[in-house]
Amino acid sequence: MPRALISVSDDGFTYTTLNGATSRYSDTGRAISYLSDYAKETATALTVTIDDGSKKTEIGIDENGKVGAAPAQDTGAEAAVDEASAATSTDGSDGSAQAPGHPEPSNQKAKGQSSNGDSYPLGTPFSGPAAPATPTVKKTPVRRRSARKRPQRLKKITVPGLVLIGLAILMIGAFVVPNIVPVDSPDTPQTIGSEQQVNPASELSVDKTQDVVPSYDNSPAWEAEVPRRASVTASDRGVLLVNDNRLEVLDADTGRSRYKAKIDESPTFAVDTVIDGRPALLWQSGDTAEALFDGKSKPKTYQLPENARITSAGKSVLIKSGNKLSTFGADGLEDVPTPQAGSTPMAIDDDELFSSDWNGPVTAQNIETGDERSIKLERPGDDLKIIDWISAGHGKAITLWGEQGASTNSGHRIQIVVHSLDDGSILSTVTTTTDIVGEKSWVRGQAGKRAYIGPYLFDLESGLLLMDVSSRDIHLSEPRGTIVPCTMDTNTSCLLAGKQAFKTDTDLLAVVDEGNEALVLGSDSTVRAYPKKSETQDR
């Protein structure tokens, strides 16, 4: 049985070795998803060794792509993996592609669970619940591509897109979530294999570029050296550096230092957010959080409730401790009304808490006045029902719909539906299969311009489908503004801009100032800001 090796690096990425080729992903969940796709497409069962530098965990993936316990192996095969692991670890090189940034879990596992105060989702860095089956691993150096040593990513923050990092609260047992799909239904959903094309192929060309970032000038507007061992992440609100026991925030417009401090522990959560109408960069360390408001030189400190869990699925941050909800206010934490029993809180947008039971409608409750409005989701078809909630927030609800009896892993034709949270109207639908997206998450990108699920890229502002790369060997990653880092042909780095995928090793941190500047981490441990080309330059 073929074996694969997954190693997790201190640079915030995961490296997968299979059939002698090594590719890079942004976390273990994405690497497992890739291997699962490989096993299914080639009808080949795999044994996977996950090496965190101190111990090894083995899992098995059958020929249908299902993940389970590792089958028994002979000692010779295990020795071969040990040798491969040692070779990878001593090589010391790293890649430069950024693959999609978090596990591809499903809310489906939570259906039917009873409600209690602690049954709150562990969450991913973005907008979907965490996959409980994904092994927990530490980040340890494994390899680097060039002679220099890439600065570490922020511990427990796996991507530069601060704007979306946070634990999600999406329909998964914080309150009662009923399972409304009967398992003994006489109706038979329509089955379609994942190898069949269900959407027209999107027009996409693959090109090379001499630009550091496609359509941006190669002369930086500013640059700032950062410590070689620092974790670096960036957004519109600033560039966050963590180096040993020091934290620093650089101004995203100038590169100058905005704030420096000694810290006892590294942040585990960071996000661009809005607090009482004021933009701020917020980060959590242990049981405290700090918010650096625009124009301020020192952050405001918040004491978090015991066992607090945080989501940035919406424009404002939602905090849960037991069954108590709160959010950040200018003067401290502010209480948020608890939804009715049977509903799950999902996100806060513009002072409204959005919650719903499994079947809808969505309830929007003003957290200051208590006023409520009901949002009935438009049906994509009379015979279709919600089979999974994927995400909500930033004005959109994303759900999967299928015929009676379909589920997220049943192999049936389904619909991805993007609804407006203003009136419940459908903004877009995509016909797909559970094999392609049933277990995947909605990934909302930095600056709130783009989002994707599986191979489908959406305009987050309009909710419309922009690109379908399901027929191409391209894997999307967390969008930076309107530019999407990606990998193609297993291990080639690229940046997707418009309808072109450009092959490049550029480490794009963020696109800021309404798309007018691109922040890049150079191989010399320098952050540079490249201005957008003028229309004349683009011609």
Side-chain angles (χ1 to χ4, degrees):
M1 179 183 295
R3 298 181 69 95
L5 172 67
I6 295 177
S7 298
V8 187
S9 171
D10 217 6
D11 65 1
F13 294 104
T14 298
Y15 299 92
T16 299
T17 301
L18 176 65
N19 297 331
T22 299
S23 54
R24 192 179 80 165
Y25 300 90
S26 59
D27 63 23
T28 308
R30 181 63 67 176
I32 292 174
S33 177
Y34 165 74
L35 293 175
S36 177
D37 290 344
Y38 172 87
K40 182 166 52 180
E41 291 171 3
T42 61
T44 303
L46 299 174
T47 297
V48 182
T49 300
I50 302 171
D51 186 0
D52 69 0
S54 61
K55 66 177 181 179
K56 295 179 179 137
T57 303
E58 286 202 351
I59 62 173
I61 302 177
D62 67 18
E63 60 274 12
N64 297 315
K66 302 300 182 184
V67 178
Q73 294 288 331
D74 61 74
T75 56
E78 291 179 356
V81 171
D82 289 342
E83 291 174 5
S85 175
T88 304
S89 299
T90 55
D91 176 42
S93 64
D94 79 53
S96 59
Q98 178 138 357
H102 61 278
E104 314 279 43
S106 171
N107 298 2
Q108 191 74 13
K109 300 178 182 67
K111 296 176 189 176
Q113 291 180 352
S114 61
S115 174
N116 61 64
D118 297 323
S119 58
Y120 200 61
L122 295 178
T124 69
F126 294 95
S127 60
T134 301
T136 301
V137 292
K138 296 186 300 182
K139 298 172 185 172
T140 54
V142 287
R143 67 184 193 100
R144 63 176 181 270
R145 177 176 294 173
S146 59
R148 62 113 180 171
K149 185 170 182 62
R150 179 180 292 276
Q152 300 174 1
R153 299 285 180 181
L154 187 59
K155 299 287 186 180
K156 297 186 181 179
I157 298 181
T158 59
V159 296
L162 281 175
V163 69
L164 294 174
I165 300 178
L167 307 183
I169 308 176
L170 293 180
M171 311 309 291
I172 188 172
F175 298 82
V176 176
V177 180
N179 183 351
I180 55 104
V181 180
V183 296
D184 57 348
S185 171
D187 299 325
T188 302
Q190 184 177 8
T191 301
I192 181 169
S194 60
E195 72 279 1
Q196 295 180 249
Q197 186 175 347
V198 292
N199 295 296
S202 294
E203 180 184 350
L204 177 67
S205 62
V206 177
D207 301 285
K208 294 182 179 179
T209 179
Q210 298 300 315
D211 295 335
V212 177
V213 180
S215 75
Y216 286 78
D217 195 271
N218 288 335
S219 298
W222 61 260
E223 58 183 60
E225 292 186 10
V226 300
R228 185 164 293 274
R229 297 289 298 175
S231 300
V232 184
T233 186
S235 74
D236 285 275
R237 306 272 70 80
V239 180
L240 183 63
L241 311 175
V242 177
N243 184 37
D244 295 328
N245 64 339
R246 300 286 299 179
L247 180 148
E248 183 174 7
V249 178
L250 306 181
D251 191 303
D253 295 328
T254 65
R256 299 189 184 96
S257 180
R258 288 187 59 197
Y259 172 71
K260 292 182 181 180
K262 290 185 178 181
I263 54 176
D264 295 326
E265 55 183 315
S266 296
T268 55
F269 173 95
V271 64
D272 274 356
T273 190
V274 176
I275 300 176
D276 283 350
R278 300 168 60 192
L281 172 60
L282 182 141
W283 61 89
Q284 176 192 3
S285 298
D287 58 358
T288 63
E290 294 184 287
L292 183 61
F293 291 92
D294 283 7
K296 298 295 183 181
S297 59
K298 292 184 179 180
K300 177 176 177 55
T301 301
Y302 298 84
Q303 184 67 40
L304 297 175
E306 184 178 1
N307 299 322
R309 303 193 183 188
I310 295 177
T311 173
S312 58
K315 297 176 184 177
S316 297
V317 174
L318 181 60
I319 308 165
K320 182 179 184 295
S321 177
N323 280 331
K324 181 178 175 60
L325 303 178
S326 58
T327 189
F328 293 98
D331 299 323
L333 298 184
E334 298 178 354
D335 290 341
V336 172
T338 302
Q340 298 179 25
S343 293
T344 298
M346 296 182 287
I348 297 178
D349 281 350
D350 301 325
D351 294 328
E352 285 188 315
L353 172 68
F354 293 91
S355 59
S356 181
D357 65 15
W358 189 261
N359 206 23
V362 177
T363 297
Q365 183 176 15
N366 190 290
I367 62 176
E368 295 183 353
T369 66
D371 294 341
E372 291 187 2
R373 61 187 179 97
S374 182
I375 307 164
K376 184 178 180 181
L377 300 183
E378 180 184 353
R379 283 182 173 272
D382 292 338
D383 58 340
L384 300 182
K385 299 178 180 295
I386 295 175
I387 64 171
D388 208 6
W389 283 82
I390 301 299
S391 183
H394 289 263
K396 310 292 184 295
I398 298 87
T399 48
L400 298 184
W401 294 66
E403 295 178 18
Q404 186 78 13
S407 66
T408 58
N409 58 6
S410 60
H412 298 130
R413 182 194 294 268
I414 58 173
Q415 296 275 345
I416 303 171
V417 185
V418 181
H419 286 92
S420 167
L421 284 177
D422 289 333
D423 57 10
S425 61
I426 292 177
L427 300 175
S428 64
T429 62
V430 179
T431 301
T432 184
T433 73
T434 59
D435 290 340
I436 295 176
V437 300
E439 301 292 329
K440 290 179 169 52
S441 298
W442 178 261
V443 182
R444 190 183 299 108
Q446 178 263 330
K449 301 293 186 182
R450 299 286 185 265
Y452 76 89
I453 179 170
Y456 306 114
L457 179 66
F458 291 82
D459 183 317
L460 187 56
E461 295 178 327
S462 68
L464 299 179
L465 179 69
L466 292 176
M467 183 68 62
D468 171 8
V469 297
S470 58
S471 62
R472 309 290 293 268
D473 187 16
I474 293 178
H475 297 272
L476 305 177
S477 184
E478 298 83 0
R480 317 282 192 262
T482 59
I483 299 178
V484 185
C486 53
T487 57
M488 65 176 67
D489 305 325
T490 304
N491 58 3
T492 301
S493 308
C494 56
L495 291 175
L496 180 62
K499 294 185 177 180
Q500 293 174 288
F502 297 92
K503 296 181 178 181
T504 175
D505 288 339
T506 295
D507 189 353
L508 180 62
L509 296 175
V511 174
V512 300
D513 187 25
E514 296 297 322
N516 290 316
E517 282 192 337
L519 304 185
V520 171
L521 178 61
S523 60
D524 55 353
S525 296
T526 301
V527 176
R528 294 181 174 88
Y530 295 95
K532 183 80 172 176
K533 288 182 180 179
S534 65
E535 293 184 3
T536 302
Q537 288 176 293
D538 284 333
R539 292 195 181 101

